[in-house]
Amino acid sequence: LLFVSVPASTPYRPPPLQRTRPAAVARSHQRCTSTMAEEKKEENGENEVLASLSLDQLGMVNYRCNAPPVNPFEAMEEEEMTPARALLNEVMDSGGWRIDCGLPRTSKYEAKILESLEEMGADSTYVVDAVDEGGFNALHACAVNGYDTLFKAFLTKGGMDARGQAEGLKNFVSSRFENVRGPDVMWMAKRRGHKALLKYIQSLPAVKEDMAELSKELDKQKLLRKKHVANFKKKLEEEERRKKEEEERLRKEELARREKEEKQREFRETIRVYNGDLKEILKKVEAGEWQNWELGREKSLDLLKRAQTDADAEVRRITKLHNLSKVHEVERDMKRPQETLDMMIQVIADYTLLWEMVGRFDEFKSGVQKMNWSDLDGPQLEEDARNMLAKCKKLPKSTKKSEAFKGIDVLCKEFFIAAPLAGQLHSDTMRRRHWDELVATTGKEIDMPFKLVDGETSKFGEGTQLNEDLLVGDILQLDLHKGAVSGIVEEITDKGAKEAKQEVQLGTLSENWSKIEFVMSPYKETDVPILRMGEEDFELLEADLLQLQGMVASRYEFWKVDSTRWQKELNTLADTLTMLAELQRMWSYLEPLFVGSDEVRKELPTAAEQFMEIDQKVRANLKEMWATKNAKQAANKEGLLAELEALQEGQEVCKKALVDFMDGKRRKFARFYFVSEADLLDILSNGSNPKMILRHVDKVFLNTKELVLDDSKPGRPWAKRFIAGVGKESAEFEPNIPLEGKVESYLQEVLKGQKDTLKEHVGRCNARYPTMIEDPTNGAGREKWVVFTGNDQWWPAPRKVEEPNDAAQVILLVAAFFFVNEIETAMDEFQGGKADAMDLQLNKVKHQLEALVKITRTKLTAGERKRAMCMITLDAHSRDMLEKLIREKATYTSHFAWMSQLKQRYVPESKDARIEILNASFIYDYEYLGNGARLVVTPLTDRIYVTATQALHLCMGCAPAGPAGTGKTESTKDLASALGMCCYVINCSPEHDYESMGNIFKGLAASGSWGCFDEFNRLIPEVLSVCSVQFKAVCVGVKGFVLEDESTHVVTVDGDTVSLVPKCGAFITMNPGYLGRSALPEGLKALFRPM
């Protein structure tokens, strides 16, 4: 037990060592030097040493007697060698392996170690410091290598404890004895085979004492083991005894079980025989005579009663068997006999239920047949028949293959078929003619539900009286359930119901339309009524016509004559109302023009004379119809509808003449093309009274809200001021415009006057700008020029309106003049050698922008603030653009970055403004724009301007495309504002036809305006195809325009020749990929430059 040898081939991998120290070593550590303190800090080194000791480098597992010395510290690196490890290295270093015939082994440094022990004793560094982290000390090192002399010196002179354990080697102990003692010096000497040293160690008093205590402990463990062995033997004997008793008990139970099973087999045989008897009885029951329908209800129920008595006897018998089965514990075997008996009882009960149902049906049918015909409740009879059939269907499934079930089922179905027919015959819609037809068709003589009595009247008609003695059974003699009869009855009763319904409908029509009258509203406070029918009455008319259509198409002829008459009268009413509405609408449209407008009568005398005749007849007819009041009666007057149609045809001729008249006016003043027909007629009708057309000013001049008139002079008033419709601003005409002549003439003069006024503003503003610049180097004073209000050398007369002298668009235009001039001057200076010319100009622009921002913080009017904000918007773009020029080193006027910008230049000779961009050049059109906001110009906007202007330069349209809300339309409108152009935005829809689109293209060509067709691809493909022809005519005309050749100053669109102003343009915006959008024809695509 004390020596266990492990074969050398067995690998050993002990768990990580626990760091523990003996008490003696712990006490010695209190006297450690600073070297030991430093050693504690080397944690990584400690772990490596513990690992090296655990790898059996001391030969504690693989050993043999007279083993060579070992030294695990000699292979350590220098940085791992702590002082303590160095001392242990000296103790264990033998200087080589040799066998000296059993002589004591010695260390290489034994003399040095003994000298240290002689001088210092227990304080020797070999005692104090030579302690490994796993508890391995110098004494252990001597025991491992068998250094007898050193071992004894460490005990006697160094005072070391022979009982101290090397905890790092604890995993190598194997026997119980070794486990109790642990890895001390005696264990190490024994493992290494140093017998002399082992004998010396065992002779030490302290070791003897420990060995004695260990022996006592082992004796106690041996005694305890004996007790455990004795207890175990006792338990084995007890288990053997219980096992024999259990075997005896099981033997007796097996004998009892075999005896019980024998009795169960005998009883099961009895049950089997009994179940066979029950099955024979069940076969007889299932084949019982009560299944035959001919046997009758009484006999069948008597047989079923006897069978039930026999079944009750079997129930008593099977009850006894159930009790015995419980004794023998075979209750489960009684399941089959019980099921067989239950089936037999169920069959008897099912057929008993069937024959009882036959009895209930006989009683029900007998009661119905004896009922008086006049007391019959048809729906209730049908419901009772349905319930009786439902009960029949709910009879048990086991009876449904029998003849008895088939018999009752046929009776119930026949009565179920006859019941609703009897109810239909009892209906109040059945007249005498229907009963006569029924008897004649079926060929059966029955008592009628009426008697023929002269002078009497009943629901069956005149000369009839109710037959109070008729029974339901008399009617059922018709055999209503038979197919031929039932079809005849259904046809006649349906005919009676439909004819009765038609009779009620005709009565309702007569009652309703005798009360329905026209609704009147007087025409312009005259006695002429404008007639119409109420909304509810019109809906009633549509419903009644639909109803009469069905009545006339009905196959029942009795009321067809009356239905046809009513249908004709109401159709005439509907046609008259439709024609009357169209007639009144057009008459109300034409009457103010041909009767109330002297100008129209002068221009169209023939059409006016024709309309006067139509007017008299229309008034007379309307008054006559209103006098009649009743709508149906008035509309069905002989010849009225034809007369109304003739009047309408005459009005169409008058309207055609009026349309031609309006087209002529449009050709004279092209902006009339963009005014609705109703507004244009109002303008033309009131052309001689300028005040009456002021409400339409904003439709002719898009950004003008109102014209201020001067009535101080005799004759017609003069236009002296125009007020902006966008923002707050107004301006005086220079000079005032006399509103003389025809409306299209003086409106053309007003438009020309606006443009001339703006030209005068540009000239004054351009001259005023240099005088108000306080410092040319930074542009100071420019912000005051933007909102300048007052008198100066260019406007010496006192102003009557306190607002800036010049229009907002003029301020923006003139500021652009000077900006372009200053940029090109700076470029020339830069080319001339002034390196900071562009930077100085940038600083000037920034200073001007800051000054404008500051002025917005002062008290300004709404109009002044708006023009300042617009100026800031454009100055911000100017700053960004100038920074881009500097960044790209675009320092000469022919650089693309500068040429691709809009450049405004003033032409003093003609007071015109010219806008240039790349190779395209445009004359500023001076369309009045009001005081509205301007679009923020981004790099994308600049690119759009380049594309759009190049398209116009090439005499093409432009087609911006992109998702909704990305600024396509707004960019187009802002470019028009930059060029002073009038821009109409047309919201396209599928309702636009080619004629309306043609009028728009005519207006654009004749007025020189721009058109922005928003969502152009919403037009239907047919209209788009025509648009390609219309716009191509305009493009060809613009491309071939020659100023000196007047023949090129016109263009033909849709057969109409209109004047051509080559400044016109067309833009189409589209949302590609959206639902409901059409694809443009290839010919139309070629006319628009995509963007």
Side-chain angles (χ1 to χ4, degrees):
L1 292 176
L2 298 180
F3 296 92
V4 178
S5 176
V6 179
S9 61
T10 304
Y12 184 79
R13 293 181 178 86
L17 299 177
Q18 302 293 329
R19 183 175 180 181
T20 57
R21 296 178 183 273
V25 177
R27 286 193 301 271
S28 66
H29 269 260
Q30 296 176 0
R31 303 187 300 273
C32 285
T33 62
S34 59
T35 304
M36 293 298 294
E38 293 176 358
E39 181 184 353
K40 291 183 178 180
K41 298 180 182 179
E42 301 176 357
E43 294 182 359
N44 293 334
E46 294 176 5
N47 294 334
E48 292 174 1
V49 173
L50 293 175
S52 66
L53 291 177
S54 65
L55 293 176
D56 197 25
Q57 292 187 6
L58 297 177
M60 304 310 294
V61 175
N62 301 316
Y63 73 93
R64 55 188 178 137
C65 293
N66 204 9
V70 294
N71 186 357
F73 301 100
E74 61 183 354
M76 286 188 179
E77 299 293 336
E78 184 176 353
E79 60 271 11
E80 298 176 349
M81 190 66 72
T82 63
R85 296 171 188 167
L87 293 174
L88 284 174
N89 182 38
E90 292 180 358
V91 174
M92 300 194 75
D93 196 351
S94 64
W97 177 43
R98 57 192 176 83
I99 301 177
D100 296 329
C101 302
L103 295 178
R105 298 175 184 273
T106 59
S107 174
K108 182 178 180 180
Y109 300 96
E110 185 168 312
K112 179 181 176 182
I113 298 171
L114 291 175
E115 183 180 354
S116 175
L117 291 174
E118 287 289 343
E119 292 178 1
M120 302 181 65
D123 294 330
S124 172
T125 55
Y126 291 97
V127 176
V128 178
D129 292 345
V131 176
D132 182 66
E133 287 73 9
F136 188 79
N137 56 27
L139 192 64
H140 295 147
C142 294
V144 168
N145 285 333
Y147 299 151
D148 298 359
T149 305
L150 280 179
F151 184 86
K152 293 175 182 178
F154 277 118
L155 284 179
T156 57
K157 296 178 181 180
M160 297 186 74
D161 188 1
R163 295 173 296 178
Q165 298 184 17
E167 296 294 335
L169 302 175
K170 198 166 185 177
N171 291 322
F172 290 106
V173 298
S174 57
S175 68
R176 187 188 309 171
F177 181 78
E178 290 176 345
N179 277 315
V180 173
R181 293 193 66 248
D184 54 7
V185 293
M186 187 171 67
W187 174 78
M188 294 178 187
K190 185 183 298 184
R191 277 293 178 103
R192 296 285 293 175
H194 304 307
K195 297 180 180 179
L197 182 57
L198 176 62
K199 186 175 181 181
Y200 172 75
I201 294 172
Q202 290 176 346
S203 65
L204 294 175
V207 176
K208 287 182 178 181
E209 184 178 349
D210 284 351
M211 293 294 292
E213 291 178 359
L214 179 60
S215 299
K216 292 179 181 179
E217 179 65 26
L218 292 175
D219 291 340
K220 289 180 181 179
Q221 291 184 6
K222 289 179 181 179
L223 182 60
L224 183 61
R225 176 177 174 79
K226 287 182 180 180
K227 290 182 179 179
H228 285 317
V229 171
N231 290 335
F232 180 72
K233 289 181 177 180
K234 187 176 181 181
K235 287 181 181 179
L236 287 177
E237 292 175 356
E238 182 65 24
E239 288 179 0
E240 184 66 23
R241 182 184 62 79
R242 286 199 299 269
K243 182 178 179 181
K244 290 181 179 180
E245 292 177 353
E246 181 67 19
E247 290 176 352
E248 181 63 22
R249 183 184 65 78
L250 292 176
R251 188 184 64 80
K252 293 179 179 179
E253 287 181 357
E254 179 65 19
L255 292 175
R257 184 184 62 78
R258 291 178 179 178
E259 182 178 356
K260 180 179 179 181
E261 288 178 352
E262 182 63 25
K263 294 180 179 179
Q264 287 176 343
R265 279 194 293 274
E266 294 175 357
F267 191 74
R268 283 194 180 100
E269 180 62 22
T270 302
I271 294 172
R272 188 186 64 76
V273 173
Y274 177 64
N275 186 43
D277 296 341
L278 286 178
K279 287 183 177 180
E280 292 297 326
I281 298 173
L282 176 61
K283 288 180 181 179
K284 295 179 180 179
V285 169
E286 289 176 343
E289 295 182 16
W290 50 73
Q291 296 186 23
N292 297 323
W293 175 249
E294 293 79 8
L295 186 62
R297 183 173 65 88
E298 296 296 334
K299 292 183 178 180
S300 297
L301 288 175
D302 184 57
L303 291 175
L304 287 168
K305 187 176 181 181
R306 295 177 187 176
Q308 184 61 44
T309 302
D310 296 339
D312 292 340
E314 294 300 329
V315 169
R316 291 191 293 272
R317 181 180 177 188
I318 202 171
T319 301
K320 294 179 181 179
L321 290 176
H322 266 299
N323 295 334
L324 290 174
S325 68
K326 292 179 181 179
V327 174
H328 294 289
E329 298 180 0
V330 290
E331 295 93 333
R332 291 177 59 185
D333 295 308
M334 288 298 298
K335 182 178 180 181
R336 291 183 179 178
Q338 185 65 53
E339 290 175 352
T340 305
L341 180 60
D342 291 341
M343 289 173 62
M344 181 176 64
I345 295 172
Q346 187 63 45
V347 170
I348 295 170
D350 291 347
Y351 279 98
T352 302
L353 185 63
L354 185 148
W355 286 106
E356 289 175 352
M357 173 66 191
V358 173
R360 287 193 297 272
F361 177 78
D362 290 342
E363 293 176 3
F364 165 72
K365 185 176 181 180
S366 175
V368 170
Q369 289 175 336
K370 294 177 182 178
M371 184 186 301
N372 193 289
W373 177 252
S374 60
D375 296 334
L376 177 65
D377 185 352
Q380 184 62 44
L381 178 63
E382 186 176 355
E383 181 66 23
D384 293 341
R386 181 180 291 105
N387 293 336
M388 194 61 65
L389 181 61
K391 291 178 181 179
C392 179
K393 290 182 178 180
K394 289 181 181 180
L395 287 172
K397 187 176 180 180
S398 60
T399 64
K400 291 187 177 181
K401 292 183 179 180
S402 64
E403 295 296 327
F405 175 81
K406 293 177 182 178
I408 184 60
D409 184 59
V410 169
L411 291 179
C412 290
K413 287 180 178 178
E414 288 178 353
F415 193 81
F416 178 72
I417 294 171
L421 297 175
Q424 293 173 17
L425 290 172
H426 190 264
S427 172
D428 292 338
T429 61
M430 291 290 290
R431 300 290 186 264
R432 175 182 175 182
R433 63 180 182 275
H434 300 132
W435 282 101
D436 293 341
E437 182 181 357
L438 176 64
V439 171
T441 305
T442 58
K444 293 186 178 182
E445 294 293 335
I446 59 170
D447 292 339
M448 293 291 190
F450 56 86
K451 297 178 181 178
L452 300 178
V453 179
D454 294 336
E456 295 290 334
T457 302
S458 68
K459 68 178 183 178
F460 298 100
E462 295 181 357
T464 62
Q465 184 181 30
L466 292 178
N467 184 0
E468 300 291 344
D469 299 329
L470 183 66
L471 300 179
V472 175
D474 298 333
I475 301 299
L476 293 178
Q477 291 177 3
L478 286 170
D479 296 333
L480 299 177
H481 60 276
K482 293 184 178 180
V485 177
S486 64
I488 294 170
V489 172
E490 286 180 353
E491 174 69 19
I492 293 174
T493 54
D494 181 65
K495 180 179 180 180
K498 294 294 177 58
E499 290 179 353
K501 184 179 179 181
Q502 291 179 0
E503 183 180 3
V504 172
Q505 289 172 346
L506 291 173
T508 303
L509 287 174
S510 179
E511 182 181 358
N512 289 341
W513 288 103
S514 64
K515 300 176 183 178
I516 294 176
E517 299 179 351
F518 283 117
V519 178
M520 184 274 284
S521 56
Y523 175 70
K524 293 185 178 180
E525 300 180 356
T526 64
D527 60 345
V528 179
I530 299 297
L531 302 180
R532 63 181 179 86
M533 268 208 331
E535 189 69 28
E536 294 181 357
D537 295 337
F538 199 81
E539 292 176 359
L540 179 64
L541 173 61
E542 292 178 344
D544 288 347
L545 281 172
L546 186 63
Q547 190 179 72
L548 284 168
Q549 183 179 0
M551 292 170 63
V552 171
S554 174
R555 56 196 178 93
Y556 305 119
E557 302 286 339
F558 191 78
W559 296 107
K560 182 162 286 190
V561 175
D562 293 342
S563 301
T564 304
R565 176 177 58 81
W566 268 100
Q567 185 185 38
K568 180 179 178 182
E569 291 177 353
L570 292 187
N571 274 326
T572 302
L573 173 59
D575 295 340
T576 302
L577 289 173
T578 302
M579 182 55 62
L580 185 64
E582 184 66 22
L583 180 73
Q584 291 180 134
R585 184 189 62 79
M586 189 173 294
W587 178 78
S588 302
Y589 168 68
L590 297 176
E591 193 270 344
L593 301 173
F594 286 102
V595 177
S597 175
D598 295 336
E599 185 170 356
V600 173
R601 288 201 300 273
K602 291 178 183 178
E603 296 283 347
L604 303 171
T606 305
E609 183 179 354
Q610 181 182 358
F611 184 78
M612 295 302 294
E613 297 177 2
I614 294 172
D615 178 66
Q616 293 177 1
K617 293 180 181 180
V618 169
R619 292 171 185 264
N621 279 315
L622 291 177
K623 290 179 181 178
E624 183 181 355
M625 293 177 72
W626 175 240
T628 305
K629 300 270 185 203
N630 185 269
K632 184 175 78 71
Q633 182 180 351
N636 282 275
K637 176 188 172 183
E638 187 69 27
L640 176 63
L641 181 59
E643 184 178 359
L644 294 179
E645 290 174 348
L647 291 174
Q648 179 62 14
E649 290 177 0
Q651 288 191 139
E652 291 287 353
V653 174
C654 296
K655 183 181 178 183
K656 179 65 171 60
L658 186 62
V659 170
D660 295 338
F661 167 67
M662 288 190 293
D663 286 343
K665 295 295 183 180
R666 289 190 178 108
R667 283 191 287 272
K668 292 179 180 179
F669 185 54
R671 296 207 175 187
F672 281 162
Y673 278 107
F674 305 105
V675 179
S676 68
E677 194 172 275
D679 290 335
L680 179 56
L681 288 172
D682 190 36
I683 292 172
L684 297 176
S685 301
N686 299 293
S688 58
N689 187 1
K691 290 183 179 180
M692 295 295 292
I693 69 169
L694 289 181
R695 60 178 178 270
H696 301 296
V697 166
D698 59 337
K699 300 165 187 172
V700 179
F701 311 109
L702 293 185
N703 299 299
T704 303
K705 176 183 177 183
E706 186 180 353
L707 296 178
V708 179
L709 305 182
D710 182 7
D711 295 328
S712 60
K713 299 177 182 180
R716 289 190 186 180
W718 292 53
K720 66 177 183 179
R721 177 177 288 277
F722 51 93
I723 300 174
V726 179
K728 293 187 177 181
E729 185 178 82
S730 66
E732 294 185 5
F733 283 103
E734 300 179 20
N736 291 353
I737 308 298
L739 305 181
E740 298 292 341
K742 295 184 178 181
V743 62
E744 65 271 17
S745 299
Y746 66 70
L747 285 178
Q748 184 69 49
E749 290 299 319
V750 170
L751 177 60
K752 183 177 179 299
Q754 275 189 336
K755 294 186 177 183
D756 291 343
T757 299
L758 292 178
K759 282 187 178 182
E760 294 297 326
H761 281 215
V762 170
R764 287 196 304 268
C765 190
N766 188 64
R768 184 185 298 115
Y769 181 88
T771 65
M772 296 192 68
I773 300 301
E774 300 170 0
D775 185 356
T777 60
N778 59 17
R782 180 170 173 267
E783 69 279 2
K784 298 177 183 178
W785 168 79
V786 171
V787 294
F788 177 73
T789 303
N791 301 321
D792 56 11
Q793 57 180 325
W794 293 279
W795 196 300
R799 292 174 55 78
K800 298 179 181 179
V801 180
E802 289 298 327
E803 59 180 334
N805 288 29
D806 301 312
Q809 72 185 89
V810 171
I811 293 293
L812 300 179
L813 180 61
V814 174
F817 291 160
F818 285 94
F819 172 75
V820 172
N821 185 50
E822 290 169 358
I823 291 294
E824 292 186 345
T825 301
M827 288 181 174
D828 293 339
E829 291 176 353
F830 184 87
Q831 295 298 325
K834 190 176 180 180
D836 60 346
M838 298 292 286
D839 294 330
L840 290 175
Q841 181 61 30
L842 176 60
N843 293 333
K844 181 178 180 180
V845 171
K846 290 181 177 179
H847 185 274
Q848 291 173 342
L849 182 58
E850 291 173 359
L852 282 172
V853 172
K854 289 179 181 178
I855 201 175
T856 59
R857 300 171 186 164
T858 62
K859 185 177 181 180
L860 299 175
T861 64
E864 293 171 344
R865 186 172 300 280
K866 177 61 72 175
R867 64 172 57 199
M869 294 303 295
C870 290
M871 198 72 215
I872 289 172
T873 300
L874 296 185
D875 279 0
H877 172 250
S878 300
R879 178 201 60 198
D880 297 340
M881 184 260 291
L882 187 51
E883 289 177 346
K884 178 183 177 184
L885 293 177
I886 296 173
R887 187 168 58 252
E888 296 182 0
K889 298 180 180 179
T891 56
Y892 47 91
T893 56
S894 60
H895 195 283
F896 180 80
W898 173 245
M899 292 185 66
S900 62
Q901 297 293 324
L902 289 174
K903 297 177 288 298
Q904 294 81 358
R905 306 184 191 279
Y906 185 54
V907 184
E909 297 80 11
S910 60
K911 295 183 181 180
D912 283 331
R914 180 173 293 278
I915 291 89
E916 297 175 353
I917 178 170
L918 295 177
N919 62 340
S921 179
F922 305 92
I923 298 297
Y924 191 80
D925 199 43
Y926 287 104
E927 174 73 19
Y928 182 60
L929 305 175
N931 189 12
R934 292 296 294 271
L935 190 67
V936 175
V937 182
T938 65
L940 177 60
T941 313
D942 286 333
R943 292 196 294 274
I944 291 173
Y945 287 173
V946 170
T947 305
T949 52
Q950 287 299 300
L952 294 173
H953 180 65
L954 296 172
C955 303
M956 298 175 63
C958 188
T966 52
K968 303 181 295 297
T969 303
E970 293 302 319
S971 297
T972 303
K973 289 166 61 180
D974 194 70
L975 179 60
S977 299
L979 300 182
M981 296 295 299
C982 176
C983 183
Y984 291 95
V985 178
I986 297 97
N987 294 313
C988 299
S989 68
E991 287 73 28
H992 276 93
D993 57 13
Y994 76 93
E995 293 180 346
S996 62
M997 295 301 294
N999 284 335
I1000 293 172
F1001 285 119
K1002 294 174 192 174
L1004 295 178
S1007 65
S1009 303
W1010 285 6
C1012 181
F1013 298 89
D1014 203 15
E1015 297 188 81
F1016 189 64
N1017 52 352
R1018 290 187 65 193
L1019 298 174
I1020 60 176
E1022 293 81 359
V1023 174
L1024 288 173
S1025 297
V1026 179
C1027 284
S1028 63
V1029 178
Q1030 295 167 340
F1031 184 59
K1032 185 176 181 180
V1034 177
C1035 291
V1036 171
V1038 172
K1039 190 175 294 186
F1041 184 87
V1042 179
L1043 185 61
E1044 294 77 12
D1045 186 0
E1046 292 187 359
S1047 63
T1048 62
H1049 295 185
V1050 294
V1051 65
T1052 301
V1053 179
D1054 288 346
D1056 293 338
T1057 301
V1058 296
S1059 60
L1060 174 63
V1061 180
K1063 295 181 294 184
C1064 63
F1067 296 77
I1068 59 174
T1069 67
M1070 294 179 290
N1071 299 323
Y1074 280 36
L1075 187 65
R1077 303 299 191 267
S1078 303
L1080 297 189
E1082 293 300 323
L1084 188 58
K1085 283 183 183 179
L1087 301 176
F1088 290 91
R1089 186 172 182 181
M1091 177 169 54

